[in-house]
């Protein structure tokens, strides 16, 4: 019996997180062990704190956790809320549901502002919900800036405007896990109280470190919060030399972060990073829109004002399985695509176009998807790659 030969060549990794790690970041992470109180490390660490604050566009507090994004989600809830407090979660998709479920499990009362996953929430409905809450029972509004499962971006300034217009005092919590370092994000200017970020997406680092930017208003609320917390407790963190990490500081992440900040700010420039993501995203969408011409796959997101520039979710035509397409791309062509999450499993595949990516990588992925559709007999209009090239030209 002859097994399928292992595909040669470098893998094209087109998942929406974790993302490609640049070689120079990989080398930087492979640093010898150092004492985390060593003055030489402290200077790297403090440089990273200042740099990440510039990326977040904040001058307020920043806390790190040796945990994936879920850890920072949990930290944001347990540091601000008390048992029975109410939060309003704006429904976007799989990740807003997961954050809501975590809140429920922690003893928080969750209200959900329902939305169609393909169009996103209606800001008028948000304003109505805030007006309706005249007793200000809602202590926090939780929003996923970029819903990685559906490829939709929620305009955070519009959420801030709704809070301001209704004079609602709730804290504004934003998950920026798949938007930071890819899409425009401005914590202080947009009046965000907590932003939740992770290492493995736009920052191009390995998975395992997350962080929260925290406003002065949120720090004041933290002082009264009674949900149980220990490792994630900001008060404990502030008492430490690093003003973060209740345990050992993961030093190798900071050598990596120092390098990724150099790439983002020093080599490319943050504005150019954002512009590159916009350009590549347009190319991906142009290809999908072209394929859809012959009853082919379509963009899952149906709201052009909210298209995500870091990930595109693609809905397969009726009767065709997205995971079969992904499996072929991986096993035969060495291209890794993201799968559909939750109820979208099997119906949707996702192309991540965030992090360390350029035109040939994106075009190679699109060409492979088109090839796989041909092999599997998935209906589509041929020439999606040409449409992507036109969008880039
Ligand atoms: N929020 C968003 C928007 C995400 O994309 C993810 C993961 O992909 C998470 C939260 C959860 O983060 P993690 O998997 O790092 O725990």
């Amino acid at each position: 019996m002859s097994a399928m030969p292992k595909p040669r060549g470098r893998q094209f990794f087109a998942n929406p997180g974790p993302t490609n790690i640049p070689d120079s970041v990989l080398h930087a992470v492979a640093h010898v062990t150092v004492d985390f109180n060593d003055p030489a490390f402290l200077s790297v660490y403090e440089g990273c704190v200042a740099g990440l604050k510039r990326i977040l566009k904040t001058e307020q507090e920043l806390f790190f956790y040796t945990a994936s994004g879920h850890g920072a989600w949990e930290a944001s809830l347990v540091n601000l809320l008390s048992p029975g407090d109410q939060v309003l979660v704006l429904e976007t998709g799989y990740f807003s549901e997961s954050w809501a479920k975590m809140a429920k499990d922690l003893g928080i009362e969750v209200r959900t502002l329902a939305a169609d996953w393909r169009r996103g929430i209606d800001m008028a409905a948000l304003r109505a919900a805030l007006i309706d809450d005249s007793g200000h029972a809602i202590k926090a509004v939780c929003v996923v800036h970029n819903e990685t499962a559906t490829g939709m971006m929620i305009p955070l300034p519009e959420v801030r405007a709704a809070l301001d217009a209704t004079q609602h005092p709730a804290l504004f919590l934003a998950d920026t896990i798949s938007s930071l370092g890819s899409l425009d994000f401005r914590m202080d200017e947009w009046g965000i109280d907590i932003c939740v970020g992770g290492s493995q997406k736009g920052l191009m680092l390995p998975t395992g470190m997350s962080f929260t930017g925290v406003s002065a208003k949120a720090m004041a609320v933290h002082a009264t919060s009674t949900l149980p917390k220990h490792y994630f407790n900001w008060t404990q963190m502030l008492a430490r030399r690093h003003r973060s990490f209740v345990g050992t500081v993961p030093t190798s992440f900071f050598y990596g972060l120092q390098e990724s900040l150099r790439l983002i700010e020093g080599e490319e420039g943050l504005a150019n990073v954002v512009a590159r993501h916009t350009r590549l995203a347009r190319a991906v969408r142009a290809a999908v829109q072209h394929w859809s011409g012959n009853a082919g796959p379509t963009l899952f997101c149906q709201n052009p004002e909210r298209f995500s520039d870091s990930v595109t979710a693609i809905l397969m035509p009726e009767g065709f399985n997205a995971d079969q397409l992904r499996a072929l791309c991986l096993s035969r062509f060495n291209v890794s695509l993201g799968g559909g999450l939750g109820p979208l499993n099997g119906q949707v595949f996702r192309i991540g176009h965030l992090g360390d990516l350029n035109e040939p990588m994106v075009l190679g992925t699109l060409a492979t998807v088109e090839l796989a559709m041909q092999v599997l007999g998935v209906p589509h209009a041929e020439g999606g790659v040409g449409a992507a090239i036109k969008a880039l030209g």
Side-chain angles (χ1 to χ4, degrees):
M1 195 177 77
S2 67
M4 181 85 139
K6 193 176 173 338
R8 301 298 319 161
R10 195 157 186 150
Q11 184 173 84
F12 272 41
F13 194 78
N15 287 49
T19 63
N20 295 287
I21 304 175
D23 290 351
S24 67
V25 173
L26 279 176
H27 292 144
V29 166
H31 196 281
V32 294
T33 307
V34 293
D35 183 332
F36 55 84
N37 286 313
D38 181 321
F41 174 72
L42 284 172
S43 118
V44 170
Y45 180 82
E46 274 153 20
C48 285
V49 171
L52 190 53
K53 283 188 182 182
R54 288 193 299 275
I55 304 291
L56 291 164
K57 300 210 164 103
T58 184
E59 293 180 355
Q60 306 184 75
E61 290 288 353
L62 177 60
F63 296 107
F64 291 96
Y65 320 95
T66 313
S68 75
H70 276 75
W73 261 357
E74 184 157 337
S76 69
L77 298 171
V78 296
N79 276 289
L80 296 173
L81 300 164
S82 300
D85 272 355
Q86 212 178 89
V87 296
L88 179 67
V89 175
L90 309 195
E91 183 177 359
T92 49
Y94 179 80
F95 288 104
S96 71
E97 284 195 338
S98 305
W99 202 5
K101 181 172 186 316
M102 175 186 276
K104 268 186 213 139
D105 288 348
L106 291 168
I108 296 160
E109 200 185 306
V110 176
R111 281 180 55 182
T112 300
L113 187 68
D116 175 342
W117 286 16
R118 302 190 72 177
R119 301 206 58 83
I121 58 144
D122 174 6
M123 291 296 166
L126 171 59
R127 281 194 298 277
L130 294 172
I131 289 168
D132 197 41
D133 182 41
S134 53
H136 296 160
I138 297 168
K139 299 295 177 224
V141 174
C142 301
V143 192
V144 176
H145 184 199
N146 188 73
E147 174 54 73
T148 324
T150 62
M152 182 182 292
M153 184 273 304
I154 299 298
L156 297 179
E158 291 182 24
V159 176
R160 178 76 261 165
L163 284 160
D164 290 348
T166 55
Q167 296 186 332
H168 199 292
L171 293 165
F172 181 8
L173 277 57
D175 168 332
T176 179
I177 289 182
S178 61
S179 59
L180 192 71
S182 308
L183 317 183
D184 188 23
F185 180 78
R186 301 155 192 254
M187 177 172 165
D188 290 355
E189 189 183 320
W190 294 350
I192 291 164
D193 292 300
I194 302 284
C195 66
V196 173
S199 54
Q200 78 275 24
K201 306 224 185 216
L203 294 177
M204 308 173 289
L205 292 166
T207 307
M209 190 167 74
S210 54
F211 48 87
T212 46
V214 181
S215 74
K217 175 178 166 186
M219 285 309 296
V221 172
H222 164 64
T224 64
S225 138
T226 62
L227 273 176
K229 47 192 157 290
H230 180 89
Y231 176 69
F232 291 128
N233 191 330
W234 296 337
T235 300
Q236 286 216 70
M237 290 188 184
L238 284 176
R240 310 262 305 180
R241 170 67 186 81
H242 298 74
R243 296 172 70 80
S244 254
F245 297 111
V246 167
T248 304
V249 178
T251 50
S252 54
F253 267 106
F254 289 91
Y255 290 106
L257 180 55
Q258 175 176 247
E259 175 58 13
S260 88
L261 290 168
R262 191 191 67 77
L263 294 176
I264 293 170
E265 294 189 293
E267 264 192 15
E268 192 173 3
L270 183 57
N272 293 329
V273 170
V274 172
R276 174 169 54 82
H277 282 81
T278 308
R279 204 167 63 240
L280 297 178
R282 282 201 189 120
V284 172
R285 291 195 293 267
V288 180
Q289 276 161 334
H290 184 94
W291 290 331
S292 70
N294 195 13
T298 50
L299 291 171
F300 183 79
C301 177
Q302 292 185 319
N303 187 341
E305 284 173 13
R306 295 182 179 176
F307 283 151
S308 160
D309 284 345
S310 67
V311 51
T312 297
I314 299 147
L315 182 63
M316 292 292 279
E318 198 65 34
F320 291 89
N321 190 292
D323 287 343
Q324 198 186 0
L325 182 100
R326 290 175 59 232
L328 179 73
C329 287
L330 185 63
S331 63
R332 197 181 305 175
F333 307 122
N334 212 6
V335 170
S336 179
L337 302 167
L341 297 173
L344 303 181
N345 187 253
Q347 295 177 34
V348 153
F349 69 96
R350 294 172 302 147
I351 297 179
H353 31 88
L354 73 166
D356 191 36
L357 280 179
N358 59 18
E359 283 79 354
M361 293 157 92
V362 166
L363 290 172
T365 297
L366 294 172
T368 305
V369 170
E370 193 159 332
L371 172 59
M373 289 197 292
Q374 205 182 89
V375 172
L376 293 172
V378 177
H380 64 283
E382 285 175 21
V385 180
I389 291 171
K390 239 186 223 151
L392 290 168

